[in-house]
Amino acid sequence: MTSLVVLDFDATGIKQPARSAIAAAAKLGEVHVLIAGNAVGDAPAAAAKIAGVSKVLVADDASLTHELAETTAALLVSLAPAYSHILQAATAAGKNTIPRAAALLDVQVISDISDVIDADTFVRPIYAGNALATVKSSDSKKLITVRASSFDPAAAEGGSAAIETVAVPAAGTSSKYLSSELSKSERPELTAAKIIVSGGRGMQNGENFTKLIDPIADKLGAAVGASRAAVDAGYVPNDYQVGQTGKIVAPQLYIAIGISGAIQHLAGMKDSKVIVAINKDEDAPIFQVADYGLVADLFTALPELEKAL
Amino acid sequence: MKLLVAVKRVVDYNVKVRVKSDKTGVETAGVKQSMNPFDEIAVEEAIRLKEKGIATEIVAVSVGVTQAQETIRTALAMGADRGILVETDVAVEPLAVAKLLKAIAEKEGAELIILGKQAIDDDFNATGQALAALLGWPQGTFASKVEIADGKATVTREVDGGLETVELKLPAVITADLRLNEPRYASLPNIMKARKKQIDIVKPADLGVDVTPRLTIVSVAEPPGRKAGIKVPDVATLVDKLRNEAKVI
C-alpha cells in the first residue's frame, strides 16, 4: 500500500503543511510525493530529503503553472492507479484540487482529516470542530485532505528518496490564470508560525494593526492573524483570517486581541497550546478557552506588552 | 443564461451543536435550521447577475428532506425564480449531491452554477469541485469577486497568500466565499410572492443517481474540552506567566 502526497511548495521551498500531510500519509505505509508545477527548480531535491519519503515524482510542465485544479486533477487521475491513497494538505490548493480529482475517480473525498485510524478509517472535525466524526470509507481508493495543524510535520532532512519524472497528460482546459495579489510579509506564515498575534474588531482599524500588533509580532517572531470581523471590515487582507473557513492554526502561543471568540473563530485556533486573550469585555467567550485572560483596554495594554517583551 | 444555485438546509450558524449521547451524530431535533450561510451568498450573487441582465432565470436546487423546501422558499423570497427539491432522507454526501446537480444542470441547460464553498455542518468543501469535475467544466472556487462578460467568468479567489484571479470559459462552476457579497434580507412582499413560485420535487432515482453513502459514520465524539484558565491582573503578570509558567516566549 503506497500513498501519494501532493506537495505545496513555492520558490522558498516545501511548505510546512505539506510535511504534515506526509506525516499523515506515513501512518498508512510507504509514501511517494508529487511535485507538480512549471520550472520546479530545487523543489524535487528538497522533497527527496524529507524524512519518510521513498520516491519523488516530478511533473514539470507549462500547463501546471499556478496549480490550476483542472490540470492538476487530470494529472492525479493519470497517476492514481499506482496508489491506494492520494493526499494533500488542506491548503487553498489542496481544497481546490483534491475534491475535483476525487470526483473524476468516482471517490467521495475525505476532507480535512485530523487523525488516521487505519487504511479506511479517519477522523475529521465537523460543525466547526464542535464534533469529531470517525468515518470509514468504502471507496477502493481514498482521496484525502489533511488538517496540517493536527500532524507534526515530517522532518525536512533525513530522507534520500529517488526522483522520477512523470508524463503530464495533455489536458485542454477552459480555465486560465490571470493574476495574483499576494500579501507580502517578512513574518512567518500563519500555518507554520509558533506564535500568532491576532486582532479582531476591537482593533477598530487597519492602522492600529500596524501600530499596535505588528511591533509585538516582530518582537516575538510571530505571525499576524485576524478574526473574520477584522477582515470583513477591511482592516487586514483575507489571508490573515483564522477560523472555520479561514486558516486552521495550532501554534505554541496564540494571542487573541480584541476578539470576542465566535464559534467560527474558535474553530480555527482552539487547538493552540497556550491561548492568551486580551479583551475589555470580561464576558467575551474567548476567555472560556484562554489559558491567560487579561481584561483590559487593548490601547493601553498593547504598548505595555510591547515594552515588557 | 440560465443559472443554477444550490442551497443546503443546515443547523443554524448560531447554534452550538451537541453530540448525541449514543455518539451517532449531533443533535438536530428541535434545533433551528437555516440556509447554509455560504449558499445565501451564492443566491445573492445569482440575483445580482439577474439584476444586471446577465442571468435570465435562477433555479434554486436543494437536496434533502421535505423540510428543505423551506430553504428553497428562502431563496425564492430573495429572488430566485423557481425551485427543485431532490427529496431524500439519506444524508447525501458531496459526490452524490454533485451527481444530482449534474443531472439537473444538464436537464435545465444551465450555463453557470453557483454554490457555497462549504456547508457549515459537514464542512466538506467539496460539492462545487466535484460538480465541475463531473461536468468537465472549469471551476472558480472560494470566489470573492465574479464578473461575467463575453462568455467568460472572471473570478477572484481567496487563496492562502491573498487573492488570485482566474478566467473561466462558460459554462462553469463557482463557489462563493464570505466576502463575495452581503446577502439581502427578503422583504415581506417578496416572501408572500415566493409562496406562489413553483417548487418541483423529484427523487434521486428519477435522476438515475445512486446516493448510497461511501462513508460510514463509525462514531461522532465531542472534541477534547478546553478549560478556561486564569485571569491575570496586568501585563507584567501576563508576561511573567508566559515566560516562566507556560514557557512559550
Side-chain angles (χ1 to χ4, degrees), chain A residues 96 139 176 241 272 292, chain B residues 141 165 167 179 214 226 245:
Chain A
N96 195 28
D139 284 316
K176 190 168 88 181
Q241 187 176 326
S272 304
Y292 302 107
Chain B
T141 53
T165 305
E167 182 182 271
R179 283 166 281 274
R214 306 288 183 84
R226 203 173 172 116
E245 190 175 86

Side-chain angles (χ1 to χ4, degrees), chain A residues 160-185:
Chain A
S160 57
I163 299 177
E164 189 179 290
T165 304
V166 296
V168 177
T173 174
S174 35
S175 165
K176 190 168 88 181
Y177 168 88
L178 292 183
S179 62
S180 299
E181 264 177 66
L182 301 183
S183 301
K184 294 217 172 18
S185 172

Side-chain angles (χ1 to χ4, degrees), chain B residues 9 20 23 50 52 60 78 81 98 102 108 121 149 174 185-186 189 192 208 215 219 245:
Chain B
R9 180 177 185 262
K20 285 187 193 168
K23 296 198 163 190
K50 193 179 173 198
K52 284 183 199 157
M78 288 172 73
D81 296 295
K102 172 181 188 264
E108 294 281 342
D121 52 359
I174 292 172
Y185 290 102
M192 302 302 285
L215 304 177
S219 69
E245 190 175 86

Side-chain angles (χ1 to χ4, degrees), chain B:
Chain B
M1 176 169 73
K2 195 185 277 191
L3 208 158
L4 233 58
V5 59
V7 296
K8 185 177 186 184
R9 180 177 185 262
V10 299
V11 170
D12 188 85
Y13 77 100
N14 274 318
V15 173
K16 188 170 187 316
V17 296
R18 284 210 174 75
V19 171
K20 285 187 193 168
S21 51
D22 64 0
K23 296 198 163 190
T24 56
V26 305
E27 194 56 70
T28 53
V31 172
K32 186 182 176 200
Q33 311 259 331
S34 307
M35 187 190 297
N36 178 40
F38 289 95
D39 299 347
E40 283 185 9
I41 298 170
V43 173
E44 176 64 35
E45 196 65 16
I47 296 166
R48 291 186 188 188
L49 289 172
K50 193 179 173 198
E51 286 168 347
K52 284 183 199 157
I54 293 164
T56 49
E57 190 187 20
I58 302 166
V59 183
V61 184
S62 191
V63 176
V65 294
T66 312
Q67 293 89 327
Q69 282 185 73
E70 294 160 20
T71 312
I72 295 176
R73 212 51 89 181
T74 305
L76 298 177
M78 288 172 73
D81 296 295
R82 61 188 172 86
I84 299 173
L85 171 64
V86 183
E87 192 181 10
T88 171
D89 290 334
V90 176
V92 184
E93 292 169 349
L95 177 65
V97 172
K99 289 178 181 180
L100 295 166
L101 292 175
K102 172 181 188 264
I104 292 171
E106 286 172 344
K107 213 162 131 191
E108 294 281 342
E111 279 183 86
L112 181 63
I113 308 174
I114 311 182
L115 311 85
K117 75 162 181 180
Q118 168 172 357
I120 60 162
D121 52 359
D122 59 28
D123 282 333
F124 264 109
N125 190 337
T127 305
Q129 296 89 318
L131 176 60
L134 297 176
L135 286 163
W137 292 4
Q139 68 192 44
T141 53
F142 327 146
S144 66
K145 191 177 171 196
V146 173
E147 282 174 53
I148 311 277
D150 307 324
K152 286 174 192 155
T154 305
V155 180
T156 302
R157 310 177 52 235
E158 296 204 355
V159 295
D160 290 339
L163 298 171
E164 174 189 279
T165 305
V166 292
E167 182 182 271
L168 315 174
K169 200 160 161 279
L170 297 179
V173 173
I174 292 172
T175 74
D177 213 320
L178 289 171
R179 283 166 281 274
L180 181 56
N181 59 50
E182 261 188 60
R184 69 193 65 192
Y185 290 102
S187 67
L188 192 58
N190 285 342
I191 291 170
M192 302 302 285
K193 255 199 281 182
R195 289 189 186 166
K196 296 201 185 85
K197 291 182 180 173
Q198 186 188 340
I199 298 180
D200 292 320
I201 296 177
V202 297
K203 301 278 183 190
D206 301 335
L207 299 167
V209 175
D210 176 6
V211 295
T212 310
R214 306 288 183 84
L215 304 177
T216 315
I217 304 228
V218 179
S219 69
V220 174
E222 292 265 6
R226 203 173 172 116
K227 284 196 301 269
I230 55 162
K231 291 255 169 68
V232 292
D234 51 41
V235 167
T237 315
L238 174 63
V239 172
D240 175 62
K241 293 277 186 196
L242 292 177
R243 276 207 181 112
N244 302 317
E245 190 175 86
K247 297 189 169 66
V248 285
I249 60 171

Side-chain angles (χ1 to χ4, degrees), chain A residues 35-308:
Chain A
I35 293 286
N38 183 33
V40 296
D42 301 333
K49 284 189 206 147
I50 299 174
V53 174
S54 64
K55 194 194 275 185
V56 180
L57 306 185
V58 181
D60 197 342
D61 190 88
S63 70
L64 297 170
T65 320
H66 305 300
E67 48 197 12
L68 289 174
E70 293 82 353
T71 44
T72 312
L75 171 66
L76 291 180
V77 169
S78 76
L79 299 172
Y83 296 100
S84 58
H85 298 71
I86 298 177
L87 308 90
Q88 186 170 0
T91 53
K95 289 189 279 196
N96 195 28
T97 305
I98 297 295
R100 184 173 179 109
L104 293 173
L105 294 162
D106 194 31
V107 167
Q108 171 57 53
V109 70
I110 310 168
S111 305
D112 211 18
I113 63 163
S114 58
D115 201 2
V116 174
I117 306 295
D118 61 36
D120 302 315
T121 316
F122 306 88
V123 179
R124 54 182 305 270
I126 55 175
Y127 289 94
N130 286 304
L132 296 174
T134 301
V135 296
K136 188 173 172 33
S137 167
S138 61
D139 284 316
S140 56
K141 199 178 290 295
K142 325 293 179 208
L143 273 84
I144 293 169
T145 57
V146 177
R147 174 168 289 210
S149 62
S150 299
F151 297 88
D152 289 331
E157 304 282 340
S160 57
I163 299 177
E164 189 179 290
T165 304
V166 296
V168 177
T173 174
S174 35
S175 165
K176 190 168 88 181
Y177 168 88
L178 292 183
S179 62
S180 299
E181 264 177 66
L182 301 183
S183 301
K184 294 217 172 18
S185 172
E186 299 297 312
R187 297 198 185 90
E189 290 191 22
L190 268 176
T191 49
K194 291 197 165 57
I195 302 178
I196 295 173
V197 187
S198 267
R201 200 196 299 274
M203 295 307 297
Q204 294 183 359
N205 58 47
E207 292 80 67
N208 286 335
F209 265 82
T210 317
K211 204 170 72 189
L212 300 170
I213 288 190
D214 286 3
I216 293 171
D218 289 340
K219 281 207 166 164
L220 292 170
V224 176
S227 69
R228 177 192 170 182
V231 177
D232 281 0
Y235 304 168
V236 288
N238 65 284
D239 49 291
Y240 281 48
Q241 187 176 326
V242 171
Q244 179 184 16
T245 67
K247 294 198 170 77
I248 311 282
V249 299
Q252 294 292 304
L253 172 61
Y254 188 93
I255 305 180
I257 298 166
I259 292 177
S260 62
I263 297 172
Q264 291 78 10
H265 185 75
L266 301 183
M269 46 65 79
K270 68 183 165 62
D271 292 331
S272 304
K273 186 164 169 266
V274 174
I275 296 174
V276 169
I278 301 177
N279 202 305
K280 67 178 175 195
D281 174 10
E282 62 181 315
D283 297 324
I286 190 79
F287 287 120
Q288 290 163 21
V289 300
D291 300 285
Y292 302 107
L294 176 63
V295 180
D297 180 4
L298 63 91
F299 294 99
T300 52
L302 293 189
E304 277 182 45
L305 179 58
E306 194 215 334
K307 261 187 231 135

